[in-house]
């Protein structure tokens, strides 16, 4: 589309055919003529022809639009924000969360809650981490503020549950240990860079 | 002799009732499949081969669903209304000859329950009593959508009774008999003797009136989902709702048989096709045509429907009668 087209896009004039003009029918004779013209035009039979061709294609060329939903699923856009995932550290399989509490603070629907304490190594430890999906509006702020990329949005969109309690299970969200190799990384602050393997150097203590 | 006729009639009645109830169920399946293919969907597929057992599932659901009667409904009328629709639809079939005569074990069976000499009049009359079903259902439901559906029943079915009656008059003038068997015999000389060639206008008018009277889609204002929820059937559930639809499909078959018998040569042999098969093919095509139009054409507004009926179809039907009358008179005076 060039600039002229962009400035001048009146869709009602370009792509659509105006069937009815605004001139009103004044005399009965005009009305009669219109009715007669439309009756012999065969528009109705054109409609029949189209549906018949559709049926022929569907029956013999298998041109269907049906998706057999539970067995077959449509691809989801890569930026779709669905149920959260808590990512694990690639080295140890531990949760990446450092307990900073930013996600809890920014959550506009107040659905994230975390309990932390300082453990014996004076490091912060996350005791409890819950996301109430019954309240979550999937705005994506939590994933945006997380400095460690510990919480991201996955593509799981089938959120039906039988009980409210089913929406707050952390174990479902954290990548399981045996699936660690399949964990997908998200680009951004804190993410492992694509060439991470080359960048690894031995620390002095290794020598 | 007397008892054999009674037994034969009872057997025929039961067979027709059973066969057409089953076919009504099967037609719902066919309708869903054909509409699906025309809109590039699959329709029922999950239950049984090609989704055929869907009929059974629907039947179980209809029979076991709670039969709900609203608080402000007029209870007895509300309960009777679906029975009127289903019953009149089946009563109308008594005077319809479905097949040619055939012999079983040397016993001649005539596949018509009552061969009355005013067959067409009886069928049209009983079918028009069927309008009480939706009308009373709509008025007794205590629901404004149902009431609107009932009001539309009155305007639509009553108006199109006029068109269908007048449209049938012209072919009846040619044949000179109201018996469907006589009308069928009139066309026994083969493809060229079909009444559709001499009365094309009456055929078109009768098919259009058939659409309106059987409440099929271009003219199904009675239960126009987009405008009035489900019209007269809004408050119905379970088997009462099911009876409306068995009645509707039975009416569909009656009107298809009537069109085949009166205009399309009936059950006369067609070239190499035996008569029984010929009429099944004609009726199947007409049913397909009814479904086809449902997939293709949009609804009309009530005012457009009335305009079409009283300003276009009714005058055309009268003109057709006048022309046929003049033709019959001139031919009669000449020969």
């Amino acid at each position: 589309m060039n600039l002229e087209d962009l400035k001048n896009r009146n869709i009602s004039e370009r792509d659509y055919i105006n069937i009815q003009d605004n001139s009103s029918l004044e005399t009965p004779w005009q009305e009669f003529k219109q009715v007669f013209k439309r009756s012999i035009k065969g528009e109705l039979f054109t409609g029949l022809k189209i549906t018949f061709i559709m049926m022929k294609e569907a029956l013999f060329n298998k041109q269907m639009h049906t998706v057999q939903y539970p067995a077959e699923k449509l691809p989801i856009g890569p930026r779709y924000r669905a149920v959260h995932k808590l990512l694990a550290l690639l080295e140890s399989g531990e949760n990446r969360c450092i307990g900073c509490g930013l996600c809890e603070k920014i959550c506009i629907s107040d659905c994230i809650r975390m309990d932390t304490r300082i453990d014996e190594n004076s490091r912060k430890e996350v005791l409890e981490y819950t996301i109430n999906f019954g309240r979550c509006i999937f705005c994506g702020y939590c994933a945006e503020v997380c400095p460690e990329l510990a919480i991201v949005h996955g593509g799981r969109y089938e959120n039906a549950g039988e009980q409210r309690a089913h929406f707050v299970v952390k174990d479902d969200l954290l990548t399981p240990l045996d699936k660690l190799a399949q964990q997908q990384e998200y680009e951004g602050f804190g993410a492992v860079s694509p060439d991470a393997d080359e960048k690894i150097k031995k620390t002095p203590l290794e020598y | 002799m007397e008892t054999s006729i009674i037994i034969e009639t009872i057997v025929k009645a039961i067979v027709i009732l059973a066969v057409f109830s089953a076919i009504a169920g099967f037609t719902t399946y066919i309708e869903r499949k054909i509409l699906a293919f025309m809109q590039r969907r699959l329709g029922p597929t999950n239950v049984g081969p090609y989704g055929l057992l869907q009929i059974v599932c629907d039947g179980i659901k209809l029979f076991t669903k709670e039969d709900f009667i609203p608080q402000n409904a007029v209870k007895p009328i509300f309960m009777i209304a679906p029975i009127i629709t289903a019953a009149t639809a089946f009563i109308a079939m008594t005077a319809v000859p479905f097949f040619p005569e055939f012999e079983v074990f040397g016993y001649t069976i005539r596949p018509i329950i009552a061969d009355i000499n005013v067959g067409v009049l009886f069928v049209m009359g009983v079918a028009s009593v069927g309008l009480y079903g939706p009308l009373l259902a709509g008025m007794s439901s205590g629901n404004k959508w149902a009431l609107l559906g009932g009001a539309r029943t009155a305007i639509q079915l009553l108006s199109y009774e006029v068109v269908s009656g007048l449209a049938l008059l012209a072919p009846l003038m040619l044949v000179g008999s109201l018996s469907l068997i006589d009308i069928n015999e009139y066309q026994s000389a083969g493809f060229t003797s079909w009444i559709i060639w001499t009365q094309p206008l009456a055929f078109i008018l009768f098919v259009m009136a058939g659409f309106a009277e059987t409440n099929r889609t271009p003219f199904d204002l009675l239960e126009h989902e987009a405008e009035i929820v489900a019209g007269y059937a809004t408050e119905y559930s379970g088997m009462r709702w099911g009876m409306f639809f068995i009645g509707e499909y039975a009416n569909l078959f009656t009107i298809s048989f009537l069109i085949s018998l009166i205009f399309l040569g009936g059950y006369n042999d067609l070239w190499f096709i035996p008569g029984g098969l010929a009429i099944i093919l004609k009726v199947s095509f007409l049913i397909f045509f009814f479904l086809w139009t449902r997939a293709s054409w949009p609804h009309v507004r009530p005012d457009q429907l009335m305009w079409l009926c009283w300003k276009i179809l009714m005058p055309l039907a009268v003109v057709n009668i006048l022309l046929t009358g003049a033709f019959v008179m001139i031919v009669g005076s000449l020969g």
Side-chain angles (χ1 to χ4, degrees):
Chain A
M1 185 188 278
N2 61 33
L3 191 64
E4 260 330 287
D5 284 343
L6 193 73
K7 282 178 181 168
N8 228 341
R9 56 204 157 134
N10 191 348
I11 49 165
S12 64
E13 285 170 9
R14 281 163 49 93
D15 296 315
Y16 293 90
I17 303 164
N18 284 323
I19 294 174
Q20 267 180 323
D21 52 355
N22 286 328
S23 60
S24 57
L25 303 166
E26 277 160 11
T27 60
W29 173 241
Q30 283 176 331
E31 208 172 314
F32 177 78
K33 274 198 297 187
Q34 192 192 45
V35 168
F36 188 74
K37 212 196 287 173
R38 285 183 185 170
S39 312
I40 59 169
K41 226 172 171 181
E43 285 165 343
L44 292 174
F45 296 97
T46 314
L48 285 181
K49 198 180 96 187
I50 289 170
T51 43
F52 194 82
I53 291 169
M54 285 284 169
M55 188 180 75
K56 203 187 71 194
E57 294 288 307
L59 280 173
F60 300 112
N61 292 341
K62 300 277 176 217
Q63 295 196 355
M64 302 284 187
H65 295 313
T66 310
V67 176
Q68 297 287 324
Y69 164 61
E72 185 188 351
K73 285 171 186 171
L74 288 176
I76 293 282
R79 299 187 62 187
Y80 185 72
R81 292 197 296 265
V83 175
H84 309 74
K85 285 206 294 197
L86 299 183
L87 296 189
L89 284 168
L90 290 177
E91 296 88 19
S92 62
E94 279 296 309
N95 192 351
R96 274 184 197 175
C97 180
I98 53 170
C100 67
L102 279 176
C103 51
E104 185 187 16
K105 186 150 190 168
I106 205 166
C107 182
I108 51 176
S109 52
D110 262 352
C111 66
I112 299 181
R113 188 183 137 68
M114 63 202 304
D115 262 347
T116 53
R117 67 167 182 136
I118 307 290
D119 69 2
E120 54 271 18
N121 303 325
S122 25
R123 292 173 64 95
K124 214 170 185 185
E125 184 192 23
V126 182
L127 293 173
E128 189 105 348
Y129 188 92
T130 58
I131 302 174
N132 186 344
F133 289 132
R135 297 181 65 158
C136 180
I137 59 165
F138 301 98
C139 62
Y141 282 173
C142 49
E144 207 163 305
V145 294
C146 182
E148 294 291 312
L149 237 72
I151 181 167
V152 293
H153 282 278
R156 203 183 89 196
Y157 56 91
E158 290 140 316
N159 303 334
E162 288 165 1
Q163 296 173 15
R164 289 188 173 206
H166 288 172
F167 290 120
V168 284
V169 182
K170 180 186 164 192
D171 295 340
D172 278 355
L173 305 177
L174 187 63
T175 316
L177 268 181
D178 51 333
K179 297 270 174 64
L180 199 60
Q182 296 157 22
Q183 176 172 296
Q184 284 213 320
E185 285 301 329
Y186 291 77
E187 285 181 22
F189 183 77
V192 182
S193 60
D195 54 346
D197 284 345
E198 288 103 69
K199 282 183 179 170
I200 290 177
K201 289 178 191 163
K202 283 182 176 176
T203 55
L205 287 177
E206 293 280 339
Y207 289 102
Chain B
M1 185 60 201
E2 285 296 314
T3 43
S4 77
I5 285 180
I6 292 173
I7 293 170
E8 192 189 326
T9 309
I10 290 174
V11 168
K12 278 181 196 168
I14 290 171
V15 165
I16 284 181
L17 204 59
V19 166
F20 279 98
S21 305
I23 286 182
F26 188 64
T27 315
T28 57
Y29 168 79
I30 291 291
E31 174 153 26
R32 286 157 78 175
K33 271 294 190 194
I34 287 181
L35 288 186
F37 288 141
M38 285 183 170
Q39 294 155 2
R40 294 203 172 170
R41 297 179 282 121
L42 282 174
T45 49
N46 286 331
V47 203
Y50 305 104
L52 266 170
L53 292 179
Q54 189 70 43
I55 310 165
V56 183
C57 302
D58 287 346
I60 293 171
K61 182 194 147 197
L62 281 181
F63 273 107
T64 53
K65 206 172 173 182
E66 186 189 354
D67 185 14
F68 188 80
I69 295 172
Q71 193 178 19
N72 292 327
V74 185
K75 205 175 167 188
I77 296 177
F78 185 87
M79 290 167 77
I80 288 170
I83 302 170
I84 297 176
T85 304
T88 51
F90 282 108
I91 292 170
M93 286 180 176
T94 50
V96 178
F98 294 106
F99 295 116
E101 291 179 0
F102 57 94
E103 281 197 10
V104 179
F105 305 124
Y107 185 79
T108 309
I109 294 175
R110 311 178 66 211
I112 175 170
I113 293 178
D115 180 14
I116 43 179
N117 55 7
V118 286
V120 178
L121 197 62
F122 179 81
V123 175
M124 298 307 292
V126 177
S128 51
V129 174
L131 96 88
Y132 279 107
L135 181 64
L136 294 180
M139 293 181 73
S140 66
S141 285
N143 175 320
K144 62 183 169 187
W145 309 119
L147 186 65
L148 280 172
R152 288 179 175 196
T153 312
I155 59 163
Q156 177 180 325
L157 297 190
L158 273 178
S159 306
Y160 277 85
E161 287 296 333
V162 174
V163 175
S164 68
L166 288 179
L168 274 187
L169 236 110
L172 293 180
M173 283 156 74
L174 289 180
V175 179
S177 166
L178 282 166
S179 163
L180 281 164
I181 293 178
D182 286 351
I183 295 172
N184 181 62
E185 294 308 316
Y186 181 85
Q187 307 171 73
S188 58
F191 188 62
T192 46
S193 68
W194 288 8
I195 294 183
I196 185 177
W197 307 125
T198 47
Q199 291 289 343
L201 187 59
F203 172 73
I204 293 168
L205 293 177
F206 190 70
V207 171
M208 288 176 87
F211 271 100
E213 278 181 46
T214 52
N215 190 16
R216 296 298 303 177
T217 278
F219 302 146
D220 72 335
L221 297 180
L222 280 62
E223 41 154 339
H224 196 316
E225 321 84 69
E227 285 176 5
I228 47 172
V229 190
Y232 67 95
T234 305
E235 294 289 357
Y236 282 87
S237 60
M239 207 49 214
R240 285 189 204 286
W241 183 85
M243 270 196 282
F244 275 126
F245 282 81
I246 289 175
E248 188 182 318
Y249 284 108
N251 269 329
L252 187 64
F253 274 96
T254 312
I255 215 86
S256 297
F257 267 104
L258 274 189
I259 295 170
S260 320
L261 282 167
I262 297 172
F263 293 100
L264 300 179
Y267 51 75
N268 294 303
D269 293 353
L270 182 64
W271 303 307
F272 58 92
I273 307 169
L277 190 60
I279 194 161
I280 289 180
L281 288 177
K282 287 165 196 166
V283 169
S284 316
F285 174 74
L286 284 169
I287 297 285
F288 173 73
F289 181 70
F290 274 94
L291 305 184
W292 189 10
T293 50
R294 178 170 181 181
S296 313
W297 294 350
H299 294 285
V300 295
R301 290 197 313 263
D303 64 312
Q304 290 171 330
L305 189 80
M306 288 296 96
W307 173 86
L308 184 69
C309 175
W310 292 107
K311 284 195 171 172
I312 305 289
L313 301 185
M314 209 271 284
L316 278 178
V318 174
V319 167
N320 192 32
I321 289 169
L322 285 176
L323 287 176
T324 313
F327 175 77
V328 167
M329 201 170 71
I330 292 165
V331 170
S333 65
L334 287 179

